[in-house]
Amino acid sequence: MSSACVTADGAVWLASAGTYPRSTLALWEERPHAPVVLPCGSVFDIVSAPAVFGRLMLDRLWREGPGSGPVAVLRGRTLLFAAPGTAQRLPSLLEWEEWGTRGRPDGRTHSVPPLLCHGTGDAVTVPALTPEREHGPTRWVVAPDCRHPWLPGPEVLLWAAVRAARAAVRISIFPPADQDAKVYDVSRRR
């Protein structure tokens, strides 16, 4: 997937998260390839997933669900922009689904990577408005393109994570086969 560029309205929305939105916009006007650190909690929250798992979540959101809000790739992680309050609510929903550290270590989500939730009091680096390289390590996958983008809430992201986990982890009700067992073909009769 190619990198997306942030529109002028999307830049206004992103900058509105900061304490000094006009300064952020002025910085981007002067240096459109500069990433910026923005606070979470008032305009958006961030759910950060390892890159591959985040891509699975994004695929589920677009293929089977309502779509996504803005999405970025940064330092090997997928950043899903979410509705404010998601960072506070999603961890308890994930725990309820036996996702978290207190879940069963041998349970169905043991091999699913952790999701990091960033909300009030946190700040994240967002990619530049315009990528320097088409497929660089930091880029927009779904760039903000309006002043009030739709942002998924905790229930939608939980739904996407569970479906991505089901696709990534084969779940079986049968115990694993004994690799040292002798197998005989009993399908043929003599």
Side-chain angles (χ1 to χ4, degrees), residues 44-58:
F44 56 79
D45 282 359
I46 297 285
V47 175
S48 172
V52 173
F53 190 76
R55 182 55 192 250
L56 288 172
M57 286 178 64
L58 183 60

Side-chain angles (χ1 to χ4, degrees), residues 2-108:
S2 64
S3 297
C5 293
V6 177
T7 65
D9 283 342
V12 168
W13 174 73
L14 281 171
S16 73
T19 307
Y20 304 104
R22 288 189 301 208
S23 297
T24 303
L25 290 170
L27 170 70
W28 274 330
E29 189 174 313
E30 192 176 303
R31 296 179 48 210
H33 299 297
V36 173
V37 176
L38 293 174
C40 299
S42 63
V43 174
F44 56 79
D45 282 359
I46 297 285
V47 175
S48 172
V52 173
F53 190 76
R55 182 55 192 250
L56 288 172
M57 286 178 64
L58 183 60
D59 288 346
R60 293 291 179 229
L61 284 167
W62 282 103
R63 222 178 314 142
E64 301 169 16
S68 73
V71 178
V73 174
L74 182 75
R75 296 185 194 110
R77 297 199 61 91
T78 300
L79 306 179
L80 297 132
F81 284 67
T86 298
Q88 182 179 3
R89 179 82 175 111
L90 185 58
S92 62
L93 292 175
L94 292 169
E95 192 65 42
W96 182 74
E97 283 287 328
E98 299 176 347
W99 199 291
T101 57
R102 293 182 304 225
R104 297 180 314 206
D106 61 338
R108 65 178 180 238

Side-chain angles (χ1 to χ4, degrees), residues 34-35 37 41 50 54 57 64 72 74 111 115 119 122-124 148 154 163 165 167 177 185 190:
V37 176
M57 286 178 64
E64 301 169 16
L74 182 75
S111 61
L115 299 178
D122 297 326
V124 296
H148 302 288
R163 281 177 177 65
D185 183 1
R190 292 186 182 202

